[in-house]
Amino acid sequence: MSIVQWQDAAPSLRAVRESVFIHEQHVPKELEWDTFDPVSTHLLVTSSAGEPVGAARLLPDGHIGRMAVLKTWRGKGIGSAMLQRLLDECRQRGMTKVALNAQVTAKSFYAKFGFQVVGEEFIEAGMSHIKMFLKL
C-alpha cells in the first residue's frame, strides 16, 4: 500500500471515482469531480499492484471531501492514514479548523481524531450525513 499526493499525470480521477466512490457509495456522477483540481490536495492510496483502494481530497478552505476506501480494504488503517496525512497538511498550511460532511455511520471514526458534530443530520446523495469540525 502506498499513499501519494497525485497530480494530473497520475491515474485519472474518473477511474478512481468509478472504482472507489460510485462503486462503494453509489454517489451520483453529478456530485463527483471529474478533473484534477490543482488548488486542492488530492490523496490516492494504491495497493502494491497499483490499483486504487482509497482516495480523499482537502479543499483550500479546510474542508475534507470525498474520502472513501474500498470495502475489501477497510480495517487496514487506510482511512486513518489518509485522514492523518490531510490533517498534517492542514497544520503545515497554518489552518486552525477542518470541516467535513461525514456519513452518520462514520461519525465515530472521525470522533477518534477529535472531530465534533455540529448541526443536524441531513441527506446527501441519498445517505444520512452530519457536519463535523475539528479545531487544530
Side-chain angles (χ1 to χ4, degrees), residues 15-25 52-55 68-70:
V16 173
R17 183 193 68 212
E18 289 172 356
S19 65
V20 178
F21 299 120
I22 291 177
H23 174 71
E24 293 299 317
Q25 299 182 11
V53 298
V69 176
L70 286 174

Side-chain angles (χ1 to χ4, degrees), residues 59-73:
L59 299 170
D61 65 358
H63 186 91
I64 293 175
R66 301 288 183 243
M67 193 167 130
V69 176
L70 286 174
K71 285 180 184 171
T72 55
W73 284 83

Side-chain angles (χ1 to χ4, degrees), residues 2 5 21 25 31 43 45 47 50-51 54 56 68-70 82 84 87 98 111 114-115 122 125-126 136:
S2 67
Q5 183 170 333
F21 299 120
Q25 299 182 11
L31 293 182
L43 295 182
V45 181
S47 67
E51 296 295 319
V69 176
L70 286 174
M82 283 193 305
Q84 190 58 58
L87 294 176
V98 183
F115 281 87
F122 60 94
L136 297 175

Side-chain angles (χ1 to χ4, degrees), residues 19 21 30-31 38 41 47-50 52-53 71 74 78 81 83 88 100 103-104 121 135:
S19 65
F21 299 120
E30 62 270 15
L31 293 182
T41 298
S47 67
S48 58
V53 298
K71 285 180 184 171
R74 291 186 187 156
I78 293 171
L83 184 56
D88 290 346
L100 55 81
Q103 287 184 23
V104 171
E121 288 185 26
K135 290 184 182 180

Side-chain angles (χ1 to χ4, degrees), residues 3-6 33 40-45 54-60 62-68 78-95 97-100 109-110 113 115 134 136:
I3 301 177
V4 297
Q5 183 170 333
W6 83 80
W33 23 283
S40 297
T41 298
H42 302 265
L43 295 182
L44 174 65
V45 181
R57 176 174 70 162
L58 172 66
L59 299 170
H63 186 91
I64 293 175
R66 301 288 183 243
M67 193 167 130
I78 293 171
S80 295
M82 283 193 305
L83 184 56
Q84 190 58 58
R85 184 89 168 259
L86 293 176
L87 294 176
D88 290 346
E89 177 79 14
C90 290
R91 288 182 185 96
Q92 288 174 7
R93 291 184 186 186
M95 294 178 176
K97 65 180 180 176
V98 183
L100 55 81
F109 168 79
Y110 293 107
F113 286 84
F115 281 87
L134 172 66
L136 297 175

